[in-house]
Amino acid sequence: MSLSRREFLKSSAAASAAAAIGMSVPAELEASANAAESGWRWDKAACRFCGTGCGIMMATKNGKIVAVKGDPAAPVNRGLNCIKGYFNAKIMYGADRLTTPLLRVNEKGEFDKKGKFSPVSWERAFDEMEHNIRKALKASGPEGVAVFASGQYTIMEGYAAQKMMKGGFRSNAIDPNARHCMASAVVGFYQTFGIDEPSGCYDDIELTDTVVSWGSNMAEMHPILWSRVTDRKLSDPDRVKVINMSTYRHRTSDLADIEIIFSPNTDLAMWNYIAREIVYNNPDAIDWDFLKKNIIFAASPVNMGYGMRRTGEKSLTPARPDGSAGKYSAKEMETIKHEMVHTVSAKEAPALEPYGYKEGQEMVNKPAGLKHWEISFEEYKKFLAPYTLDYVAKISKGDPDESIESFKKKLQTLADLYIEKGRKVVSFWTMGMNQHTRGTWVNTLSYNVHFMLNKQALPGSGAFSLTGQPSACGTAREVGTFCHRLPADMMVKNPKHRKITENRWKIPEGTLNPVGNQHIMKIHRDIEDGLVKFAWVNVCNAYQDSASAKHWIKAAREMDNFIVTSDGYPGISAMVSDLVLPSAMIYEKWGAYGNAERRSQHWRQQVLPVGNAMSDTWQWTELSKRFTVKDLWGPYTLRNGKKLPDVRKAAHALGYTDDTTMYEILYANKEAKSYKIDLDSFPQKGYDNSDCNGDSRNVIGGDGKVVKGYGFMIHEYLWEEYASFGRGHGHDLAPFTTYHKVRGLKWPVVDGKETAWRFNIKYDPYAAHYAKKNGRGSDFAFYGKLAKALPQGNLLGVTDPKKKPLTDKAKIFARPYMDPPEMPDAEYDTWLATGRVLEHWHSGTMTMRVPELFRAVPEALCYMNPKTAEEKGLKQGDLCWVESRRGRVKAHVETRGRNRPPRGLVFVPWFDEKVFINKVCLDATCPQSKQTDYKKCAVKIYKA
């Protein structure tokens, strides 16, 4: 059979599409498809992009990926892909892939921070890294060595990085870009449930009657899940209701029965309005039997600031008469001053009245941490009193052209849908609720409503946090690559947790650093302050993805430090760096991801990396060979005065010498070497493994010799050691080989079976176990262990410090509406929101290299209301300046696009490094989660 390339690709695509939806395929078409795919090897993998966790099928031929399609057997996407998913192959073959290490050097070939990039060997690259890490440790101790980590690491990469950072360098200055993405959801889970991650799963979509999207453009950010929501809506259009809650109109609005456009930050008020409707006007809807058995009420401080720099910090010194301070302008300080003292506004005064504050009163902000205490239901009811329909509608209405009567009617209908007896409700959210100066608060408020109605942890009902990145759950949260965490919900500050980890890693007791406060924004600020001297960017674009970005770029380029970026392409972070390392991309290595519904899934290496690129796991293990017990495990004094002990003698007692390398201890120990290379058996048979076996490229490694590989199956070792932390503790994962046979499993995996709904004794074996063990007579057990003993108090504070245990119980929190620290005013009169678009992923480092995606959306636009444009003297297609107190960028005006803001708000996506919108954004964070608020700051718009 003779076919042109176009014909057989069309035949193959048609046959695949037909098979995916269960259609029979004509024999001629099937034959054409078979001819098209002659010599192709198909294998399953996970999509590289968002946290949905879609399965894909990938075809390779002659060492290159030649086709990608949705995996019909994958339960998440059922054979579908979004537009990015179909280009998983092309992201790997951009013309400017990094293929060799690049170092800034002078004309003599010496490292020079002001020099130009020049190719160097891996050996030279690691020489420079080793030298500068030793300098950083000498100057600043473990706190001087930092890593910008990622929710896009594979699970093995993240675990390998964490072992070397926390166990080797004794540094907790490792934090993933998931801090920007999911941290508020994480702290919300901890505070509410005592354990991380959602109780439900994606099956809720097909089982629910009501989908409420809170600050989540699911149609573009989670399009496969939105296709399932759409299918559910169309299957029963009269019964199923969809509500879109947003600060501007977008594609998710198109399916919605109700669209509620609200003013930034007022989601807090709307959640509390629904709770008030339940408590005051529909008390019979409260499931008191459920509450008494399973729930307590809690409160926390309200005067905790906004996570910005504080007076007296190094880069804010000295303060000058013109209002500027240190490295910050007077304009910037206008906002930063709110971190210390906040004047209660008319808008927030009613919400703060139960806490003793009045309009115009100064609130002195103090760091509050995660402190909270138990209160009575009557105190909670007192807290809810201000959130009447009139008050909430007045402060929340986000579209100035909508009538207050229309808005109030929508709010009332929203509350009625939640309250309706027998109606199942799922509340979804992503960055709208997470990137928020009160992100932890608003996450906890979502559970309040679901708990009171007993609509949580049930099929078809529950508050569900959707993850942004492909392994923000699996690698950042579950592995514990946050600065304050260890695997399986353990914390660095807890001595018992440190001891468990030290024993498992076979390192001396006392090795691990108990101070874990260097989150991403703290690392940037520590570089600006001169404390962090070495920083390594892994699987992210830290200098494009951080707010107030010009500060961090200036610090990276001008301070005495050494910045390294490992990447596939030269993005902004690479250009800012002193050394750039070429990383193998996703299908050029073995790996695993964990998605939003707790589903872990694995893939095998499909092709060899390009050029001399090597995986991030290999980069970490290669670096670890250069540091010994003598180098790293002596005494240190941290900046807070805390001492890290000398553990070298204890290391000798474990059988190590002064010259034993971290590679031998952390990665190539006796246990690791027990995981054998077996090229004759599944899953290794027929697949490359550049890390473990080397490959035909004969890359010259960090020791100047050809890379021959570890000689053992390090991926399986890292997986099994990591998984051992959670097994038996409510976080059970299946064996490595199992995941290569299935399309992922939702943890906890007990007796080979996944768990769909956690905390419900019908579906969760751990819930059943604890309910029986503790004899509470409940159908639920919220068995998380964190913060499960509280003092007693009222809204104003603790009245009885004695802690009362909360065995298997969850919490309903009193948390008020508060203004963000920067709001539109006479000079900066417009709200700015940022985010993504369907076609591009994060900073565009990969998707902007795909011609089809680039042509579809070649630049970031400033989406605005036509009336806003008219007010500013602008029209469709004009170039405008978007300027804040921190910087400005130029963008083309879009008044007719997919994103349709109300008057007074503009939306600019952040994928385009030429429209570098994060220079404009404010680096305020939730003080509890430390997650940056990209969704609201004040700007002015004018013609360029």
Side-chain angles (χ1 to χ4, degrees):
M1 182 180 293
S2 177
L3 290 171
S4 70
R5 181 178 183 275
R6 176 178 291 274
E7 286 172 336
F8 71 64
L9 287 176
K10 286 173 64 179
S11 298
S12 178
S16 296
I21 60 174
M23 286 177 58
S24 60
V25 180
E28 184 177 350
L29 179 62
E30 187 171 6
S32 297
N34 290 337
E37 299 180 11
S38 176
W40 291 9
R41 180 189 69 186
W42 286 98
D43 196 25
K44 74 176 182 72
C47 179
R48 175 60 180 80
F49 298 110
C50 77
T52 300
C54 294
I56 61 173
M57 294 298 292
M58 183 162 287
T60 55
K61 184 176 183 179
N62 297 328
K64 191 167 183 177
I65 300 170
V66 294
V68 175
K69 62 184 179 183
D71 184 354
V76 172
N77 55 308
R78 305 166 183 180
L80 296 176
N81 278 156
C82 77
I83 189 62
K84 291 189 298 296
Y86 285 113
F87 289 106
N88 267 289
K90 284 197 172 184
I91 63 173
M92 299 171 61
Y93 299 122
D96 59 343
R97 265 295 295 268
L98 295 168
T99 59
T100 192
L102 302 170
L103 177 69
R104 290 186 184 273
V105 297
N106 59 24
E107 292 178 355
K108 298 178 182 179
E110 303 164 329
F111 168 67
D112 185 340
K113 198 165 179 71
K114 296 182 179 179
K116 295 181 179 180
F117 283 118
S118 180
V120 295
S121 67
W122 276 110
E123 184 176 22
R124 174 73 185 281
F126 285 116
D127 285 346
E128 297 291 345
M129 291 176 74
E130 177 189 350
H131 172 71
N132 282 282
I133 290 170
R134 291 183 187 277
K135 277 180 58 179
L137 288 169
K138 185 176 181 180
S140 302
E143 292 162 306
V145 177
V147 170
F148 293 105
S150 180
Q152 299 169 61
Y153 271 140
T154 70
I155 287 172
M156 294 77 153
E157 287 168 349
Y159 185 66
Q162 172 166 245
K163 287 192 79 175
M164 186 59 198
M165 279 297 287
K166 294 178 181 176
F169 294 130
R170 309 177 78 181
S171 173
N172 292 324
I174 175 172
D175 209 52
N177 58 0
R179 178 72 68 177
H180 294 313
C181 157
M182 296 308 301
S184 295
V186 172
V187 182
F189 280 120
Y190 280 165
Q191 293 206 325
T192 302
F193 299 97
I195 191 171
D196 194 10
E197 301 206 31
S199 56
C201 62
Y202 298 156
D203 294 354
D204 288 329
I205 295 171
E206 282 76 32
L207 299 172
T208 195
D209 305 313
T210 319
V211 173
V212 188
S213 175
W214 288 79
S216 175
N217 185 359
M218 288 179 69
E220 292 200 56
M221 304 312 122
H222 294 84
I224 296 302
L225 294 183
W226 194 243
S227 73
R228 291 175 61 170
V229 171
T230 302
D231 182 64
R232 175 64 184 137
K233 170 64 180 174
L234 298 178
S235 71
D236 191 356
D238 294 331
R239 173 64 178 171
V240 176
K241 302 298 179 186
V242 176
I243 300 91
N244 183 40
M245 317 279 292
S246 181
T247 57
Y248 61 95
R249 192 171 200 190
H250 45 65
R251 285 180 172 175
T252 299
S253 306
D254 296 341
L255 182 70
D257 297 278
I258 302 172
E259 176 189 63
I260 297 178
I261 303 299
F262 61 90
S263 179
N265 238 53
T266 60
D267 43 3
L268 293 153
M270 292 186 294
W271 275 117
N272 284 331
Y273 159 70
I274 299 168
R276 188 188 189 281
E277 279 295 294
I278 295 168
V279 169
Y280 280 81
N281 298 328
N282 295 273
D284 56 331
I286 300 174
D287 190 328
W288 277 108
D289 181 63
F290 171 82
L291 290 186
K292 288 175 180 177
K293 290 177 179 177
N294 300 292
I295 305 295
I296 64 99
F297 296 87
S300 57
V302 296
N303 59 327
M304 60 185 191
Y306 306 94
M308 296 182 286
R309 279 194 174 276
R310 297 187 65 82
T311 298
E313 291 187 11
K314 189 171 182 180
S315 290
L316 288 187
T317 304
R320 304 182 187 93
D322 67 355
S324 66
K327 297 175 181 178
Y328 290 77
S329 69
K331 285 291 181 187
E332 290 175 296
M333 292 305 297
E334 287 177 1
T335 299
I336 292 173
K337 69 181 182 181
H338 294 147
E339 179 64 19
M340 279 60 73
V341 179
H342 165 67
T343 302
V344 177
S345 73
K347 188 174 180 180
E348 63 190 350
L352 292 174
E353 190 275 332
Y355 295 88
Y357 290 99
K358 295 181 180 180
E359 181 183 349
Q361 184 175 346
E362 285 196 340
M363 176 185 285
V364 178
N365 293 323
K366 302 174 183 178
L370 302 179
K371 181 181 179 182
H372 59 282
W373 53 89
E374 185 173 357
I375 62 173
S376 67
F377 172 71
E378 289 306 316
E379 283 289 297
Y380 177 68
K381 187 174 181 180
K382 184 197 303 183
F383 152 79
L384 288 177
Y387 297 95
T388 62
L389 181 58
D390 287 341
Y391 168 61
V392 173
K394 179 181 178 181
I395 68 170
S396 299
K397 187 171 75 73
D399 182 355
D401 297 321
E402 180 178 12
S403 72
I404 193 70
E405 291 77 16
S406 169
F407 190 77
K408 287 166 71 172
K409 184 177 180 181
K410 290 178 182 177
L411 286 182
Q412 183 68 66
T413 303
L414 174 68
D416 290 344
L417 287 170
Y418 273 101
I419 293 167
E420 182 183 327
K421 190 172 180 62
R423 173 171 286 277
K424 298 176 182 179
V425 186
V426 177
S427 303
F428 285 123
W429 68 91
T430 42
M431 297 309 108
M433 276 172 49
N434 292 339
Q435 292 178 341
H436 200 308
T437 51
R438 292 295 180 266
T440 298
W441 285 11
V442 73
N443 268 264
T444 58
L445 293 181
S446 68
Y447 302 115
N448 292 1
V449 169
H450 283 268
F451 279 151
M452 284 194 286
L453 301 169
N454 192 5
K455 294 184 179 183
Q456 182 69 31
L458 289 165
S461 280
F464 194 112
S465 164
L466 291 170
T467 315
Q469 298 184 84
S471 203
C473 290
T475 309
R477 296 158 72 172
E478 296 162 22
V479 168
T481 50
F482 285 100
C483 65
H484 64 290
R485 290 182 69 165
L486 293 166
D489 288 314
M490 295 193 296
M491 302 292 167
V492 298
K493 71 177 182 180
N494 187 317
K496 292 180 180 178
H497 293 175
R498 294 197 304 274
K499 186 173 182 180
I500 290 169
T501 305
E502 289 162 343
N503 289 340
R504 188 66 187 90
W505 288 353
K506 298 179 177 60
I507 61 178
E509 189 172 332
T511 303
L512 294 180
N513 182 343
V515 180
N517 61 11
Q518 285 177 278
H519 55 88
I520 274 186
M521 292 315 307
K522 181 69 169 167
I523 292 172
H524 278 306
R525 292 165 187 166
D526 282 346
I527 293 172
E528 186 175 55
D529 288 350
L531 179 81
V532 168
K533 302 289 188 182
F534 177 93
W536 190 1
V537 179
N538 282 192
V539 205
C540 65
N541 196 345
Y543 286 92
Q544 187 174 339
D545 71 20
S546 291
S548 199
K550 70 177 185 180
H551 272 277
W552 324 128
I553 289 174
K554 184 176 182 181
R557 295 306 311 135
E558 297 182 5
M559 299 294 291
D560 176 21
N561 54 45
F562 191 78
I563 310 296
V564 183
T565 289
S566 295
D567 206 338
Y569 292 103
I572 287 178
S573 294
M575 291 186 281
V576 165
S577 296
D578 302 301
L579 174 66
V580 180
L581 304 179
S583 285
M585 293 184 69
I586 178 170
Y587 309 116
E588 297 169 341
K589 58 195 175 186
W590 290 63
Y593 279 161
N595 77 1
E597 65 166 355
R598 296 172 279 107
R599 182 180 299 277
S600 311
Q601 47 190 326
H602 288 226
W603 65 89
R604 299 181 278 199
Q605 183 177 334
Q606 302 297 315
V607 292
L608 298 185
V610 301
N612 291 318
M614 294 296 290
S615 77
D616 291 79
T617 301
W618 180 87
Q619 292 174 37
W620 274 102
T621 57
E622 199 71 4
L623 180 66
S624 73
K625 295 174 181 178
R626 292 168 172 262
F627 294 91
T628 66
V629 167
K630 179 175 59 181
D631 295 330
L632 300 183
W633 286 356
Y636 291 104
T637 300
L638 303 179
R639 65 179 135 182
N640 67 356
K642 189 171 185 65
K643 307 281 187 181
L644 293 185
D646 186 333
V647 296
R648 289 174 292 189
K649 286 186 179 179
H652 300 159
L654 291 174
Y656 307 134
T657 71
D658 277 351
D659 296 324
T660 305
T661 66
M662 292 298 123
Y663 175 70
E664 295 169 284
I665 296 170
L666 300 174
Y667 306 114
N669 51 54
K670 184 178 179 180
E671 180 182 351
K673 291 179 178 178
S674 71
Y675 291 92
K676 303 296 184 183
I677 297 296
D678 184 358
L679 299 180
D680 295 322
S681 300
F682 179 86
Q684 298 178 43
K685 186 177 181 179
Y687 285 83
D688 290 308
N689 193 330
S690 297
D691 287 351
C692 298
N693 304 331
D695 60 50
S696 60
R697 296 174 301 151
N698 292 320
V699 174
I700 305 300
D703 57 1
K705 299 176 183 177
V706 172
V707 174
K708 297 295 186 181
Y710 308 110
F712 58 92
M713 189 57 176
I714 195 171
H715 313 292
E716 186 171 9
Y717 160 63
L718 291 171
W719 172 264
E720 291 297 336
E721 183 179 275
Y722 150 64
S724 69
F725 284 98
R727 289 172 180 155
H729 302 285
H731 199 128
D732 306 62
L733 296 161
F736 178 84
T737 301
T738 298
Y739 287 102
H740 287 283
K741 298 176 182 176
V742 299
R743 265 58 177 183
L745 294 169
K746 297 186 288 286
W747 62 263
V749 181
V750 180
D751 297 329
K753 297 179 180 179
E754 63 182 1
T755 299
W757 291 277
R758 296 166 84 199
F759 313 126
N760 187 319
I761 67 171
K762 293 180 182 178
Y763 306 100
D764 182 348
Y766 275 95
H769 165 75
Y770 284 109
K772 182 177 180 181
K773 176 184 175 182
N774 297 317
R776 292 174 45 254
S778 175
D779 293 334
F780 299 86
F782 298 101
Y783 51 80
K785 304 300 181 186
L786 299 174
K788 285 300 187 77
L790 294 181
Q792 312 299 297
N794 54 34
L795 292 176
L796 303 182
V798 173
T799 57
D800 181 357
K802 185 177 180 180
K803 290 188 176 182
K804 175 183 171 183
L806 314 170
T807 304
D808 293 344
K809 290 191 175 185
K811 302 166 192 169
I812 286 177
F813 279 91
R815 273 155 172 178
Y817 164 77
M818 290 185 71
D819 294 336
E822 185 173 89
M823 302 173 74
D825 57 18
E827 183 176 3
Y828 300 93
D829 60 356
T830 303
W831 286 111
L832 167 69
T834 62
R836 294 198 287 113
V837 294
L838 171 64
E839 293 82 356
H840 289 296
W841 174 244
H842 280 203
S843 60
T845 312
M846 294 178 289
T847 52
M848 288 289 272
R849 266 80 182 177
V850 177
E852 293 87 345
L853 297 177
F854 177 82
R855 285 195 298 267
V857 183
E859 63 177 317
L861 303 172
C862 181
Y863 294 88
M864 68 176 67
N865 190 283
K867 293 179 181 178
T868 300
E870 186 178 349
E871 290 168 5
K872 306 296 182 184
L874 297 164
K875 62 181 184 298
Q876 171 75 20
D878 280 352
L879 263 180
C880 72
W881 284 107
V882 182
E883 181 178 337
S884 74
R885 290 171 171 85
R886 292 155 294 282
R888 66 177 189 168
V889 298
K890 274 193 284 193
H892 282 103
V893 173
E894 177 57 75
T895 61
R896 302 178 305 204
R898 62 181 79 177
N899 299 302
R900 294 148 279 175
R903 283 191 298 118
L905 184 144
V906 296
F907 172 79
V908 183
W910 69 280
F911 68 84
D912 188 352
E913 62 186 42
K914 293 182 178 65
V915 183
F916 193 179
I917 196 62
N918 281 342
K919 290 194 300 184
V920 176
C921 294
L922 175 64
D923 61 319
T925 73
C926 167
Q928 295 184 301
S929 71
K930 310 302 189 294
Q931 180 163 349
T932 315
D933 189 342
Y934 294 92
K935 298 304 178 189
K936 57 195 79 72
C937 71
V939 297
K940 54 185 172 184
I941 310 290
Y942 53 96
K943 194 163 188 174

